[in-house]
């Protein structure tokens, strides 16, 4: 779950000044993401779409299926312009 979320954030340029991964592709054990580490779009993603994605995971959706995050980001970017 963490790898899928961090990959989504990184691939969509939603992280400002932090790389969540070690060289081997694992999540850094001491990773802490603060509001200052994400773009405004990244912060808005955590307001609702990330929670919806987590709820979908609880219902059995595989973590790699990030459609909820993609749609949430699309909506954020559409309303921004």
């Amino acid at each position: 779950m963490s790898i899928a979320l961090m990959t989504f954030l990184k691939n969509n340029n939603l992280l400002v000044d932090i790389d969540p991964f070690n060289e081997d592709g694992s999540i850094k054990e001491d990773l802490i993401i603060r509001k200052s580490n994400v773009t405004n779009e990244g912060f808005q993603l955590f307001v609702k779409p990330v929670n919806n994605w987590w709820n979908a995971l609880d219902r059995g959706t595989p973590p790699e299926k990030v459609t909820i995050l993609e749609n949430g980001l699309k909506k954020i970017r559409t309303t921004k312009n």
Side-chain angles (χ1 to χ4, degrees):
M1 172 175 50
S2 297
I3 291 173
L5 179 57
M6 291 304 115
T7 299
F8 182 82
L9 293 174
K10 186 174 180 181
N11 289 347
N12 286 283
N13 299 315
L14 300 173
L15 295 171
V16 178
D17 59 356
I18 191 170
D19 185 355
F21 298 107
N22 293 311
E23 288 184 20
D24 67 358
S26 63
I27 296 285
K28 292 180 179 176
E29 288 185 30
D30 61 348
L31 178 67
I32 297 173
I33 296 181
R34 295 182 171 85
K35 184 178 178 182
S36 61
N37 298 123
V38 295
T39 63
N40 185 50
E41 291 175 340
F43 177 74
Q44 292 301 315
L45 197 70
F46 277 92
V47 171
K48 188 171 180 183
V50 169
N51 287 326
N52 291 343
W53 179 70
W54 281 329
N55 289 335
L57 297 180
D58 288 342
R59 292 187 305 272
T61 301
E64 299 78 24
K65 186 173 181 185
V66 292
T67 307
I68 292 171
L69 299 177
E70 292 168 342
N71 291 338
L73 182 57
K74 188 182 301 182
K75 185 175 180 179
I76 290 166
R77 288 182 171 167
T78 299
T79 58
K80 177 181 166 184
N81 295 329

